[in-house]
Amino acid sequence: MPRLATKIGALLFCPDCGTLLNLPQENEAEVKCEQCGHKEPASSYENIEIITRSHPDAFPSALAQKRKTQTKVHESDDALLRVTELCPQCGHTEAFSKEMQLRSADEGSTIFYTCVKCKFGWRVNN
Ligand SMILES: [Zn+2]
Ligand SMILES: [Zn+2]
């Protein structure tokens, strides 16, 4: 079974390399990761709409945890933060970041970075 993209808000990140995936073009069945060639079915994006529109509490524990641990950062849940972070690929110093709480608090959280310039994606485990 193929791995599906990591969903953060309305954004999809490549499950293999963490790169922010583009939105599918009209009539396109899948989206190809520019970084590693992973192919994400366009249906993944449809699932996002269902989750965000009719199930706002789809990830209640993750959000609750995030509010507890991230009081210093006040951004909306689906906004990407623009941070100063060195891109390992092109050396650019600006990247979008998004922290995602994994299954349980014990496992910590993962910060996803996507280079502003070359769109290279990587992740850092806390
Ligand atoms: Zn990829
Ligand atoms: Zn870069």
Side-chain angles (χ1 to χ4, degrees), residues 5 8-9 12-13 16 29 62 79 82 84 87 89 93-94 102-103 106 110 112 122 126:
I8 300 178
L12 287 184
F13 291 84
D16 295 328
R82 198 164 171 140
T84 302
C87 171
Q89 168 123 316
T93 52
E94 256 190 321
L102 297 180
R103 282 140 293 181
D106 297 344
T110 300
F112 289 82
W122 69 101
N126 271 354

Side-chain angles (χ1 to χ4, degrees), residues 44-92:
S44 296
Y45 290 83
E46 288 158 20
N47 292 338
I48 283 181
E49 286 197 317
I50 293 165
I51 288 170
T52 52
R53 280 178 192 171
S54 45
H55 300 287
D57 304 340
F59 310 104
S61 58
L63 289 176
Q65 187 65 34
K66 188 175 164 179
R67 291 206 176 97
K68 266 186 249 165
T69 56
Q70 284 224 298
T71 46
K72 58 182 185 235
V73 182
H74 293 285
E75 92 274 34
S76 76
D77 284 330
D78 16 40
L80 283 173
L81 277 179
R82 198 164 171 140
V83 298
T84 302
E85 189 69 32
L86 184 68
C87 171
Q89 168 123 316
C90 75
H92 194 64

Side-chain angles (χ1 to χ4, degrees), residues 87-92 115-120 122:
C87 171
Q89 168 123 316
C90 75
H92 194 64
C115 175
V116 172
K117 190 176 175 189
C118 73
K119 300 289 189 280
F120 178 75
W122 69 101

